[in-house]
Amino acid sequence: MSEALAYSFEPIAETDAEILILGSMPGRDSLKAAQYYAHPRNIFWRIMAEILHFDAGAPYQNRTAALSDARIALWDVLHSCKRPGSLDSSIEADTVVVNDFQKFFLRYDRIGSVIFNGSKAEHYYVRRVLPHLNGKPPRYFRAPSTSPAHASLSYARKLEIWRNLLGTGR
């Protein structure tokens, strides 16, 4: 039986957003919950809560509102793909369809920085999105993935890098 296509979510963004955080594609737990970074061991919300001073255990709507209040948008590079499981390394490259960033950057024209949540998001963006963008490109930064599959750095080191990038991204 063939794996079904997985589809990403709509962006979380307000017109005053200045920074865009990009993942690759939501994992199974996120897709099931219809929430970005829903895997219980993904540290994205914990890191954001510490940097932006909100409760990481707050309802999802409150956490996304905290990002918006900080002028941070959240989205994924991929619109759809086939991926058995949740690992980015399992994404079937020939099934990848990217989101429409040309349209996104026209709508959210104050975004000056893009922070990739891990190397796969950066990989797909650089290869499949960047060559087709018109206009002034934002500044790009790669942060260490918040996924539990990427445990080569300590939480403290990941937090430090994310904190620095969010400060640099303004």
Side-chain angles (χ1 to χ4, degrees):
M1 182 171 163
S2 179
E3 185 79 18
L5 278 176
Y7 292 89
S8 64
F9 309 131
E10 290 297 314
I12 294 171
E14 298 296 331
T15 56
D16 65 346
E18 297 175 355
I19 296 173
L20 171 62
I21 296 175
L22 286 174
S24 54
M25 170 63 85
R28 282 190 173 163
D29 286 349
S30 293
L31 292 169
K32 185 177 177 182
Q35 298 181 359
Y36 284 100
Y37 303 106
H39 190 286
R41 289 187 11 242
N42 190 304
I43 59 172
F44 177 82
W45 291 113
R46 185 175 161 204
I47 284 176
M48 292 301 117
E50 196 154 337
I51 294 169
L52 301 176
H53 310 289
F54 66 87
D55 178 6
Y60 182 70
Q61 184 176 358
N62 295 34
R63 290 179 278 151
T64 60
L67 289 181
S68 293
D69 289 347
R71 293 190 216 87
I72 297 170
L74 186 59
W75 205 18
D76 286 304
V77 175
L78 303 184
H79 170 71
S80 63
C81 69
K82 286 186 180 179
R83 177 178 58 192
S86 292
L87 295 176
D88 283 351
S89 59
S90 298
I91 292 172
E92 296 177 15
D94 61 337
T95 67
V96 164
V97 175
V98 296
N99 277 311
D100 186 345
F101 284 91
Q102 191 68 40
K103 185 177 175 182
F104 180 87
F105 287 128
L106 284 173
R107 181 169 184 191
Y108 303 102
D109 60 356
R110 293 184 62 187
I111 291 177
S113 298
V114 174
I115 299 174
F116 300 105
N117 187 352
S119 61
K120 273 298 185 186
E122 180 183 40
H123 166 86
Y124 281 114
Y125 186 92
V126 167
R127 283 171 179 71
R128 308 256 182 137
V129 175
L130 196 55
H132 307 288
L133 282 181
N134 298 319
K136 178 185 156 215
R139 295 176 298 162
Y140 299 103
F141 306 93
R142 181 179 4 138
S145 174
T146 59
S147 166
H150 300 281
S152 59
L153 294 176
S154 69
Y155 172 80
R157 181 68 180 128
K158 286 183 180 185
L159 174 63
E160 176 186 14
I161 293 168
W162 273 96
R163 186 184 311 276
N164 288 338
L165 287 175
L166 285 172
T168 302
R170 299 221 184 260

